[in-house]
Amino acid sequence: MAGAGDAFRRRRARALDGPLLLPLALGAAAERALLASGRLVPTVSLWAVRPRRFARDFAAELEASPRIRVLLGAQAIGLVERGEGGRVAAVRLRTLEGCDLEARARAFVLACGGLENARLLLLSTDRRPEGLGNASGLVGRCFMDHPRAVWGRVELVPGARLHLLRGRPVPNGKVQLGLAVAPAIRADRGLLHHYLTLESEHSSYAREQYDVAVQLAKRLLRRGHAGGRLELRGVLAGRTPDLLYLLTPKEILPHWAYRLLWELHERLPRRSRSERLVLVHFCEQPLDPDSRVTLSERCDPLGVPMLRLDWRIQPEVVRSMEALCTLLGEELARTGLGRLLPAEEEPRFTDASHHMGTTRMGTDPRTSVVDPWGRVHGVANLWIAGSSIFPSGGHANPTLTIVALALRQARRIASSVGAG
Ligand SMILES: Cc1cc2nc3c(=O)[nH]c(=O)nc-3n(C[C@H](O)[C@H](O)[C@H](O)COP(=O)(O)OP(=O)(O)OC[C@H]3O[C@@H](n4cnc5c(N)ncnc54)[C@H](O)[C@@H]3O)c2cc1C
């Protein structure tokens, strides 16, 4: 797929040129002061206005390719081993009309996402009741996400401006600095990778509503292979105006209008009173085999068992969050920019839709599911691509790493099946 890859790189380069450099160079004196001691380091997040639609952007190239055939409307429901085992002979497919098919090939790559990759191995029990590639019992274990919590607040002195830490709109989206503990301190204290961003605080009630809005958006999006999962329970119609208020302006106004308002707002003289910001944390998780997915008794509309998720959040996560908050408080005091306010409650976590670790990579089949190239231990022609093969999760969004690993794997797979 070299053509599609090249097109992707060209468009991405256009999208990121210029606009990023400008805000980084402008008016970041407060951020520079906060980072001057070297105890905190910046992280950079880029948020795009629009998601990439693969069908729209790549359908023509895929159709034109003599080497690619795209089949739509059928779901993989397991892998077939025949003969002695140790090789996959076919992938079993089922359509919503109830038609069962098999697709045969020399090599197979599961790239169905961080949960579904594990599900398909667990469903493939032709030769092994524990599931394909599951001799170690590790398929589905060590599930990780990036626990996200709105936890802790800071109060800035009147007039203090944190342009980049608050996030700044750029033509194609938003760029936002975050803060993390410097690597040497993290290693010394045994902390996890973790960063936080600063957001405006409206009130604790508004914070709750923001969490409700995030959950609602996730539920609305969750329709697909696992069947309709739209649940409106827990969302009170009477609170809809609050949700609209919280999602305005950046999610509702056109992006150009949001940018204009933001620039005007930044140029207005600051209010003379101090401003409060909430801390939004994104954390790594330590390895935990009890954090896992298993097959449940419930089936999807195709009659195939769904997954049950037991996601654990370990005490080390909270310890790392506390350590970063303490450092931030000390740096705010040192620079005279503000102060950390005492946390009023325990953190409440949501996920970040980053599903990792369920078919982890390693050299030892006793402690991993795939080898360093993503090939399933003990299965000669089956590879796995995606964040399910991550042996650890870090704190950064996973998709660029997924793409980098996939490019590396693609070359290896092509040479191993003689299609280079
Ligand atoms: C709301 C949201 C926001 C996100 N934001 C970010 C972000 O800002 N940055 C970031 O890095 N990541 C983000 N992510 C995570 C990102 O979407 C994933 O890391 C990425 O999509 C994983 O890519 P993938 O190709 O491995 O899996 P997927 O994108 O999940 O693709 C898997 C494909 O396989 C198909 N499939 C699944 N099961 C089957 C089956 N049984 N048979 C046939 N087909 C199947 C699916 O339909 C899908 O097309 C976000 C996720 C969500 C939900």
Side-chain angles (χ1 to χ4, degrees):
M1 241 178 79
D6 289 346
F8 176 75
R9 277 190 288 276
R10 276 197 305 278
R11 282 176 207 135
R12 192 164 174 278
R14 267 204 306 278
L16 297 184
D17 263 356
L20 279 186
L21 304 176
L22 186 63
L24 287 174
L26 287 178
E31 279 88 346
R32 280 202 300 274
L34 212 50
L35 298 170
S37 73
R39 301 206 305 157
L40 295 174
V41 290
T43 63
V44 182
S45 303
L46 302 169
W47 307 108
V49 177
R50 288 192 187 84
R52 174 170 293 278
R53 301 291 179 206
F54 271 67
R56 182 195 61 203
D57 291 348
F58 300 124
E61 279 172 85
L62 292 171
E63 274 168 24
S65 168
R67 294 165 57 173
I68 297 172
R69 185 163 157 230
V70 180
L71 301 178
L72 298 173
Q75 181 168 326
I77 58 167
L79 298 155
V80 182
E81 274 186 293
R82 294 211 172 91
E84 292 298 302
R87 287 189 75 80
V88 174
V91 57
R92 197 168 281 136
L93 304 168
R94 186 168 292 167
T95 69
L96 274 174
E97 293 73 37
C99 180
D100 279 0
L101 310 156
E102 277 186 11
R104 285 184 286 278
R106 275 181 291 163
F108 296 82
V109 183
L110 285 187
C112 290
L115 297 170
E116 189 77 1
N117 285 345
R119 182 185 181 213
L120 283 168
L121 292 183
L122 293 172
L123 286 168
S124 304
T125 52
D126 283 352
R127 287 277 181 281
R128 321 167 199 228
E130 73 280 10
L132 198 53
N134 197 21
S136 60
L138 272 174
V139 173
R141 288 191 185 268
C142 304
F143 172 82
M144 300 169 285
D145 203 300
H146 290 131
R148 173 191 173 281
V150 182
W151 188 65
R153 288 176 302 155
V154 296
E155 187 174 72
L156 299 183
V157 297
R161 291 185 178 215
L162 294 171
H163 294 271
L164 290 177
L165 283 168
R166 302 275 304 275
R168 177 177 183 134
V170 290
N172 296 303
K174 178 172 148 180
V175 60
Q176 184 166 23
L177 285 196
L179 294 171
V181 174
I185 302 177
R186 179 167 41 74
D188 188 47
R189 299 193 194 169
L191 302 171
L192 297 165
H193 288 91
H194 161 228
Y195 78 101
L196 58 78
T197 59
L198 302 174
E199 309 286 345
S200 302
E201 178 186 60
H202 301 286
S203 67
S204 56
Y205 172 68
R207 217 159 61 218
E208 258 171 45
Q209 292 310 303
Y210 182 75
D211 276 344
V212 172
V214 169
Q215 291 307 322
L216 175 63
K218 287 188 174 184
R219 290 198 169 128
L220 287 169
L221 286 168
R222 242 174 246 169
R223 294 172 66 80
H225 278 277
R229 289 167 69 184
L230 181 62
E231 287 176 38
L232 289 174
R233 268 177 304 158
V235 179
L236 303 178
R239 291 187 168 183
T240 306
D242 302 304
L243 296 184
L244 290 180
Y245 163 73
L246 281 165
L247 293 172
T248 305
K250 66 181 180 334
E251 274 81 5
I252 290 179
L253 278 189
H255 189 66
W256 62 265
Y258 166 51
R259 285 186 66 206
L260 188 65
L261 282 178
W262 191 93
E263 294 291 345
L264 288 173
H265 179 257
E266 286 302 299
R267 276 160 183 70
L268 289 177
R270 269 295 106 130
R271 284 168 299 188
S272 56
R273 61 191 172 84
S274 56
E275 187 181 11
R276 288 187 174 189
L277 303 174
V278 292
L279 310 180
V280 184
H281 300 256
F282 298 86
C283 204
E284 179 182 20
Q285 294 201 263
L287 204 60
D288 181 353
D290 292 334
S291 185
R292 65 186 298 201
V293 292
T294 46
L295 292 180
S296 86
E297 290 75 42
R298 286 179 61 209
C299 287
D300 67 14
L302 297 174
V304 181
M306 292 166 63
L307 285 179
R308 182 192 299 110
L309 171 64
D310 181 2
W311 182 34
R312 309 273 174 108
I313 295 182
Q314 303 73 13
E316 295 95 310
V317 172
V318 180
R319 192 165 73 81
S320 297
M321 289 164 61
E322 285 166 347
L324 178 50
C325 285
T326 305
L327 268 184
L328 174 60
E330 289 168 4
E331 293 305 308
L332 285 171
R334 180 183 63 75
T335 51
L337 282 168
R339 67 188 178 110
L340 181 75
L341 301 172
E344 290 155 3
E345 54 194 24
E346 296 295 305
R348 282 184 302 173
F349 291 99
T350 59
D351 66 294
S353 307
H354 300 160
H355 310 138
M356 302 172 285
T358 54
T359 64
R360 64 194 310 267
M361 177 192 280
T363 48
D364 184 347
R366 288 169 303 181
T367 55
S368 58
V369 176
V370 302
D371 72 12
W373 292 98
R375 182 169 14 197
V376 176
H377 292 304
V379 189
N381 65 341
L382 177 61
W383 279 265
I384 299 190
S387 47
S388 66
I389 68 176
F390 287 10
S392 60
H395 67 223
N397 287 350
T399 309
L400 282 180
T401 310
I402 293 174
V403 173
L405 281 172
L407 290 170
R408 177 177 172 269
Q409 287 175 289
R411 284 191 287 272
R412 177 78 168 201
I413 297 166
S415 68
S416 92
V417 297

